[in-house]
Amino acid sequence: IAAGVAVWSVMTALCGLARGFWSLFIARTGVGVGEATLAPGAYSMIADYFPKRILARALSVYMIGVTLGSGVAYMLGGAVVAYLEDIDQVVLPLLGSMQGWQLTFFIVGLPGILVSMLLVASVREPRRRGVGLDSAESIPLAEVVQYLWQRRLAFAGHIFGISIFIMVVYALNLWGPTYFIRIFGYSPAEAGWVFGLVMIGAGTAGLLLAGSVADAWMQRGTQDAYVRTILLSIICITPCVVTLGFTTNEMVGIVAMALAVFFSACQGGIAGGTLQLMTPNRMRGQVIVIYMLVANLIGLGLGPTVVAAATDYVFGYDEAIGKSIALSAAVMCPLGGLLLWRSLPAIREQLEEQS
């Protein structure tokens, strides 16, 4: 994880040195490679650090990094861009002259190297806990894939159901500031501050509440409490997101966005947590890799794109961004929720096998 943090921080800074598409593409690919190291190690370690009765809360606290980090990024990122876009050129030692947008990448990227050093100095690998397949140090990926295939009703239902729902989550996260800019005439800096506060407040609250509810529900004997909590959030988020497509009132728009972000964050810790409970400990990191691959390809790859396509080709004008977000939620939330709900018996059986 520490190596990954250092890599993605350096590659973020290198984005500022890009001189064309391919140099930016390579740098951004490096950012992705570095970031990909975090989830497999973090989820697996947290599942060993904390007992099952508080695992949902532990994972939710870990995922606060996303809501706080994203919120601060929207707020400070917008402010930094607004400040630096008025600067024509800056001359740095060794690097020479660069424009304001290039300097932004250095400002947000290089501090991550200090974070990686802090991680190495302060975090220790936990002892393994839970059910193990054998005493082997690692399980080959082929065996992991075979294990998942033999239990595909549970794992595929969970992974694809969550991934389809995450299309709406990523659509909100990436198009949220644009919604305020196009619908209510905010400047980029104003939209960054408003959406950043929404992410920090509503997103963090959703994570923590979902973790507490899931833990309490599981303590009462409900094995699939994590999944049921996610299903409730899917039901609740749908009318909130749909409201974004019909309101012209600024305060209603802010409240609807805050509620939508609140419920979208509920799955943040417990979706991956469910897989940790379903999987033998020697496979947890690799299973999270597969989950993140599918979730990113579907959720991050298609979610924002579907909203863009709907805005361009269904409604045909930029100010329809709210309607496009609402349409995606009206389709994807029921679809993802149905797939998840149909998989509940198989998921419950898998959880009982690992309990």
Side-chain angles (χ1 to χ4, degrees), residues 4-14 31 105 108-113 115:
V5 173
V7 168
W8 92 56
S9 300
V10 171
M11 298 305 287
T12 297
L14 290 180
V31 174
F105 285 104
V108 302
L110 292 181
I113 298 176
V115 175

Side-chain angles (χ1 to χ4, degrees), residues 13 16 49 67 120 125 139 148 190 207 209 214 244 265 267 274 278 324-325 339:
Y49 263 125
T67 57
V120 170
E125 196 80 14
I139 304 297
L148 298 183
E190 291 171 338
L207 276 169
L209 180 62
L244 297 175
Q267 53 77 36
T274 305
M278 291 168 62
S324 300
I325 296 173
L339 186 56

Side-chain angles (χ1 to χ4, degrees), residues 6-223:
V7 168
W8 92 56
S9 300
V10 171
M11 298 305 287
T12 297
L14 290 180
C15 290
L17 298 180
R19 292 294 183 266
F21 173 82
W22 287 110
S23 56
L24 181 60
F25 178 85
I26 293 171
R28 288 297 301 167
T29 300
V31 174
V33 170
E35 290 180 347
T37 64
L38 177 58
Y43 272 95
S44 184
M45 289 173 65
I46 291 171
D48 284 329
Y49 263 125
F50 297 92
K52 187 184 298 186
R53 59 185 175 82
I54 61 170
L55 180 60
R57 278 171 285 178
L59 289 170
S60 296
V61 169
Y62 160 70
M63 289 300 294
I64 286 176
V66 175
T67 57
L68 291 182
S70 298
V72 171
Y74 283 119
M75 295 164 66
L76 296 186
V80 169
V81 170
Y83 173 74
L84 292 178
E85 67 182 0
D86 295 328
I87 300 177
D88 292 331
Q89 284 189 336
V90 178
V91 179
L92 296 180
L94 301 179
L95 299 178
S97 63
M98 58 177 52
Q99 297 178 358
W101 68 267
Q102 294 173 300
L103 184 60
T104 303
F105 285 104
F106 284 87
I107 293 175
V108 302
L110 292 181
I113 298 176
L114 298 178
V115 175
S116 69
M117 297 169 61
L118 178 63
L119 186 63
V120 170
S122 61
V123 178
R124 294 293 175 266
E125 196 80 14
R127 294 185 61 184
R128 289 286 189 179
R129 68 164 74 227
V131 179
L133 289 181
D134 51 37
S135 59
E137 286 300 316
S138 63
I139 304 297
L141 180 60
E143 290 187 25
V144 176
V145 172
Q146 183 181 17
Y147 182 88
L148 298 183
W149 178 254
Q150 292 170 348
R151 296 158 177 82
R152 55 189 175 276
L153 290 180
F155 283 98
H158 179 78
I159 291 173
F160 284 97
I162 295 294
S163 298
I164 292 172
F165 172 50
I166 287 179
M167 290 178 64
V168 179
V169 177
Y170 278 121
L172 282 171
N173 292 349
L174 271 73
W175 287 107
T178 306
Y179 169 81
F180 289 114
I181 292 172
R182 293 184 182 177
I183 303 302
F184 303 117
Y186 285 19
S187 69
E190 291 171 338
W193 272 93
V194 171
F195 194 72
L197 290 173
V198 166
M199 284 292 295
I200 292 174
T204 301
L207 276 169
L208 294 178
L209 180 62
S212 299
V213 168
D215 276 339
W217 204 347
M218 181 172 284
Q219 286 292 92
R220 295 181 181 180
T222 304
Q223 287 272 41

Side-chain angles (χ1 to χ4, degrees), residues 6 30 60 66 89 93 118 196 235-236 250 253 277 299 313:
S60 296
V66 175
Q89 284 189 336
L118 178 63
I235 294 172
C236 293
E250 181 179 347
L277 296 177
Y313 301 115

Side-chain angles (χ1 to χ4, degrees), residues 270-325:
I270 56 181
T274 305
L275 292 172
Q276 299 301 285
L277 296 177
M278 291 168 62
T279 308
N281 57 24
R282 298 294 184 186
M283 292 184 175
R284 287 174 181 162
Q286 294 180 83
V287 170
I288 284 294
V289 167
I290 295 172
Y291 162 65
M292 295 298 293
L293 175 63
V294 176
N296 282 327
L297 287 175
I298 294 177
L300 183 56
L302 296 180
T305 306
V306 165
V307 172
T311 303
D312 288 343
Y313 301 115
V314 176
F315 299 104
Y317 61 102
D318 289 347
E319 290 72 19
I321 186 69
K323 292 181 173 61
S324 300
I325 296 173

